């Protein structure tokens, strides 16, 4: 059976953090609190020294009936209690492989890395597929991640996985294969201006006919743009397409 310490392996061993360091980190907590007031996403600050959560925002959708303070005190025990047992090994594997790939990057570029992955949480028999995005927040002088910022939102996919690592400014990303247990390089998805406009207008609640009028294109042309979007993003509805585009910064 998985234990909390299984999430904190040698790949990211952090040492020597002092009380003064935690006092200096308070502005990061205050910034996360302010950010949490502006978004439906749930915000965590992960503490890799104390192996727990330094901060958890109050968001009932993603806390499985617990308060933010209760989840903060549970730390990674929250995942052991509320993630389906069959998905916990995936979280442990992506944690180890993610840190290994992260530390393969030059030290000066590690702050630009972001990892994204999907898994379920369950409460009272109901499963919710969520997306986690995690990026370094505070690093030690040795280049280790002490604090990480994690944002949680509803997934744009239909199943767990979709493990990706991206670096700001790069034209490609890495995707982790759970079948062959390694990272593979992939080209970023690019959208045409018209496809972006369709997504942006759809996100505002416009119908196909509304979008047709606003873009001065026929309804059939808008439907073609939509089909192309669904194929590029591997989704089956405009709602999923908008969620995918927002989650992966395509808009």
């Amino acid at each position: 059976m998985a234990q909390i310490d299984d999430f904190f392996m040698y790949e990211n061993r952090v040492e020597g953090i002092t009380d003064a360091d935690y006092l200096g980190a308070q502005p990061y907590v205050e910034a996360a609190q302010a950010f949490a007031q502006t978004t439906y996403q749930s915000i965590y600050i992960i503490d890799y020294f104390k192996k727990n959560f330094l901060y958890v925002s109050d968001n009932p959708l993603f806390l499985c009936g617990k308060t933010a303070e209760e989840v903060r005190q549970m730390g990674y025990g929250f995942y052991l209690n509320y993630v389906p047992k069959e998905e916990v090994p995936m979280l442990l594997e992506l944690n180890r492989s993610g840190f290994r790939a992260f530390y393969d990057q030059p030290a000066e570029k590690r702050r630009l890395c972001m990892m994204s992955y999907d898994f379920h949480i369950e409460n009272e028999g109901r499963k919710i597929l969520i997306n986690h995005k995690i990026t370094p927040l505070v690093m030690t002088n040795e280049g280790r991640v002490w604090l990480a910022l994690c944002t949680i939102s509803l997934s744009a996919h239909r199943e767990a996985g979709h493990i990706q690592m991206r670096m700001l400014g790069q034209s490609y990303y890495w995707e982790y294969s759970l079948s062959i247990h390694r990272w593979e390089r992939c080209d970023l998805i690019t959208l045409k201006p018209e496809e972006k406009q369709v997504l942006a207008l759809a996100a505002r609640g416009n119908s196909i006919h509304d979008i047709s009028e606003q873009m001065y294109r026929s309804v059939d042309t808008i439907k073609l743009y939509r089909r192309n979007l669904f194929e590029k993003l591997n989704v089956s509805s405009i709602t999923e397409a908008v969620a995918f585009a927002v989650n992966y910064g395509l808009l």
Side-chain angles (χ1 to χ4, degrees):
M1 181 177 293
Q3 304 292 324
I4 291 176
D5 281 347
D6 293 337
F7 287 96
F8 298 91
M9 307 298 286
Y10 179 80
E11 283 80 4
N12 189 52
R13 185 176 61 186
V14 179
E15 299 176 329
I17 304 300
T18 67
D19 290 343
D21 293 324
Y22 279 98
L23 185 62
Q26 186 58 30
Y28 293 103
V29 175
E30 294 172 357
Q33 289 173 327
F35 177 42
Q37 295 176 30
T38 69
T39 179
Y40 81 95
Q41 297 174 321
S42 186
I43 312 298
Y44 291 15
I45 295 179
I46 301 172
D47 182 345
Y48 286 99
F49 178 66
K50 291 186 176 179
K51 302 179 180 181
N52 60 17
F53 299 144
L54 184 62
Y55 169 75
V56 177
S57 66
D58 188 9
N59 190 319
L61 181 60
F62 303 117
L63 300 185
C64 297
K66 299 293 183 180
T67 67
E69 179 58 23
E70 286 172 334
V71 173
R72 191 189 68 80
Q73 292 182 7
M74 291 174 69
Y76 272 66
F78 175 79
Y79 299 132
L80 296 179
N81 287 333
Y82 292 102
V83 173
K85 301 303 181 186
E86 63 272 17
E87 292 184 20
V88 171
M90 179 194 73
L91 295 184
L92 295 175
E93 180 175 346
L94 70 86
N95 188 63
R96 290 191 297 269
S97 61
F99 272 119
R100 288 169 183 163
F102 175 78
Y103 286 118
D104 281 342
Q105 307 305 314
E108 67 274 11
K109 292 187 176 181
R110 292 172 188 166
R111 291 183 181 274
L112 306 178
C113 291
M114 182 274 291
M115 189 171 174
S116 173
Y117 49 95
D118 297 338
F119 62 94
H120 290 92
I121 53 175
E122 53 185 357
N123 184 32
E124 298 180 349
R126 187 169 69 96
K127 290 185 178 180
I128 302 174
L129 186 62
I130 61 173
N131 172 261
H132 262 212
K133 286 187 174 62
I134 184 169
T135 190
L137 183 61
V138 183
M139 300 183 68
T140 67
N141 293 333
E142 296 75 29
R144 300 273 173 174
V145 181
W146 165 30
L147 301 178
L149 180 69
C150 183
T151 60
I152 299 94
S153 59
L154 293 173
S155 170
H157 299 103
R158 296 185 177 184
E159 67 283 326
H162 305 283
I163 305 163
Q164 298 181 357
M165 182 175 289
R166 298 170 181 255
M167 185 179 292
L168 187 66
Q170 286 188 334
S171 60
Y172 58 89
Y173 64 97
W174 295 274
E175 186 155 5
Y176 188 75
S177 170
L178 291 166
S179 60
I180 61 176
H181 309 286
R182 71 183 184 197
W183 293 94
E184 298 179 309
R185 178 168 161 166
C186 306
D187 293 329
L188 287 176
I189 296 171
T190 57
L191 300 180
K192 295 179 180 179
E194 295 85 357
E195 293 167 345
K196 290 184 178 181
Q197 190 173 2
V198 168
L199 280 176
L201 290 171
R204 297 173 195 154
N206 290 285
S207 68
I208 289 181
H209 288 85
D210 293 334
I211 296 172
S212 171
E213 292 179 358
Q214 294 184 54
M215 290 183 63
Y216 302 102
R217 300 285 195 280
S218 70
V219 170
D220 285 341
T221 299
I222 301 304
K223 289 181 178 179
L224 175 61
Y225 291 152
R226 279 166 46 109
R227 286 197 298 271
N228 291 340
L229 280 168
F230 294 171
E231 183 176 343
K232 283 184 178 181
L233 306 183
N234 192 28
V235 299
S236 58
S237 72
I238 195 65
T239 301
E240 291 178 359
V242 170
F244 187 103
V246 170
N247 275 341
Y248 292 96
L250 299 181
L251 284 179

